């Protein structure tokens, strides 16, 4: 079960263009002999250029893939570990069960990052049984701030492809005895499933 978030707006493009123009102006003015503080302007231009490169790499060349998969060492499994589906006989017929039919203890959320042409690598792996809560964050900045305030302060990890304006899902999980916040961009069945897992864990 996979989900790949997509860029939904031009916020990153506009930011990159604005930073490029500012860096160009700063460096251009520093080349004029009559302008005082040329060294400062060059430093400012370089700083803005570095910021532009960061935004470019982070939001234009970086993609994430969220994957629900069988855990490397599942605590409990109802399925064959070599396959995402198990076939069982029901009423004389063979029925395939999806991976979401397995218990949270046997599954994990894996977040893969890819930058440019580099191979994908694991950025985050959380067992589904460790997820304590799941909620959709409001798009309004003030409401989002209030929602984060209610959760409390703890290490926060964001795996987003949009700078602003995307549907964000906030997960809290207890990983290796430490509570953390994980923020991803997911909607539809993938988001509904993670929220259902959190409710299931709390009802145990």
């Amino acid at each position: 079960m996979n989900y790949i978030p997509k860029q939904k707006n031009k916020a990153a493009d506009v930011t990159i263009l604005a930073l490029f123009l500012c860096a160009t102006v700063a460096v251009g003015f520093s080349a004029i002999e009559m302008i005082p503080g040329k060294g400062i302007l060059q430093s400012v231009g370089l700083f803005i250029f570095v910021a532009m490169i960061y935004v470019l790499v982070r939001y234009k060349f970086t993609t994430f893939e969220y994957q629900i998969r069988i855990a490397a060492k599942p605590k409990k499994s109802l399925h064959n570990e070599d396959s995402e589906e198990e076939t069982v006989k029901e009423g004389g017929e063979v029925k395939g069960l999806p991976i979401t039919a397995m218990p949270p203890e046997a599954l994990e959320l894996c977040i893969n990052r890819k930058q440019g042409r580099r191979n994908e690598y694991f950025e985050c792996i959380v067992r589904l049984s460790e997820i304590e809560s799941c909620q959709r964050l409001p798009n309004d900045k003030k409401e989002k701030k209030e929602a984060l305030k209610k959760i409390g302060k703890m290490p926060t990890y964001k795996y987003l492809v949009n700078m602003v304006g995307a549907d964000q899902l906030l997960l809290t999980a207890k990983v290796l005895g430490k509570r953390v916040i994980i923020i991803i961009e997911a909607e539809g069945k993938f988001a509904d499933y993670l929220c259902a897992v959190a409710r299931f864990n709390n009802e145990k």
Side-chain angles (χ1 to χ4, degrees):
M1 185 178 185
N2 296 17
Y3 186 91
I4 300 177
K6 304 294 184 182
Q7 285 202 344
K8 297 184 176 181
N9 52 62
K10 300 293 184 180
D13 300 279
V14 173
T15 301
I16 292 168
L17 178 60
L19 290 173
F20 175 77
L21 293 176
C22 290
T24 302
V25 170
V27 173
F29 272 101
S30 70
I32 301 176
E33 294 184 0
M34 298 177 59
I35 297 294
K38 293 193 294 183
I40 295 176
L41 282 175
Q42 288 176 347
S43 299
V44 170
L46 179 60
F47 176 80
I48 296 174
F49 182 76
V50 171
M52 183 200 73
I53 294 298
Y54 169 78
V55 175
L56 180 66
V57 173
R58 173 62 183 80
Y59 291 101
K60 299 303 294 182
F61 294 156
T62 301
T63 58
F64 290 102
E65 179 181 9
Y66 315 138
Q67 180 183 22
I68 304 297
R69 67 178 193 180
I70 297 175
K73 294 181 180 179
K75 297 178 182 178
K76 179 182 178 182
S77 177
L78 300 181
H79 290 229
N80 183 349
E81 296 182 12
D82 296 329
S83 172
E84 288 193 355
E85 292 189 349
E86 175 190 35
T87 57
V88 295
K89 291 185 177 180
E90 181 175 326
E93 298 180 357
V94 176
K95 180 182 178 182
L97 295 179
I99 194 171
T100 52
M102 297 176 67
E105 293 84 357
L107 302 174
E108 61 189 12
L109 169 64
C110 178
I111 299 176
N112 302 319
R113 176 198 286 261
K114 185 176 182 181
Q115 286 185 335
R117 295 182 178 179
R118 295 180 182 178
N119 294 329
E120 290 186 359
Y121 59 90
F122 297 142
E123 185 77 9
C124 173
I125 298 177
V126 179
R127 196 178 292 273
L128 295 192
S129 58
E130 296 173 334
I131 296 177
E132 297 178 339
S133 68
C134 175
Q135 63 175 298
R136 291 176 172 83
L137 287 176
N139 289 325
D140 182 75
K141 286 186 177 181
K142 187 176 180 180
E143 293 179 0
K144 183 181 294 185
K145 188 176 180 179
E146 288 296 323
L148 291 171
K149 188 176 180 180
K150 290 180 180 179
I151 294 294
K153 291 184 178 181
M154 62 185 78
T156 301
Y157 303 92
K158 299 180 180 181
Y159 305 103
L160 313 172
V161 297
N162 290 278
M163 294 185 70
V164 295
D167 296 322
Q168 296 181 1
L169 201 65
L170 185 150
L171 307 172
T172 60
K174 195 170 184 179
V175 182
L176 299 176
K178 187 177 182 180
R179 297 186 72 232
V180 299
I181 292 175
I182 300 171
I183 300 178
I184 62 177
E185 291 173 348
E187 54 187 11
K189 292 182 179 180
F190 195 91
D192 293 340
Y193 173 71
L194 288 176
C195 290
V197 167
R199 289 194 299 269
F200 176 82
N201 291 338
N202 288 322
E203 291 172 357
K204 285 184 180 179

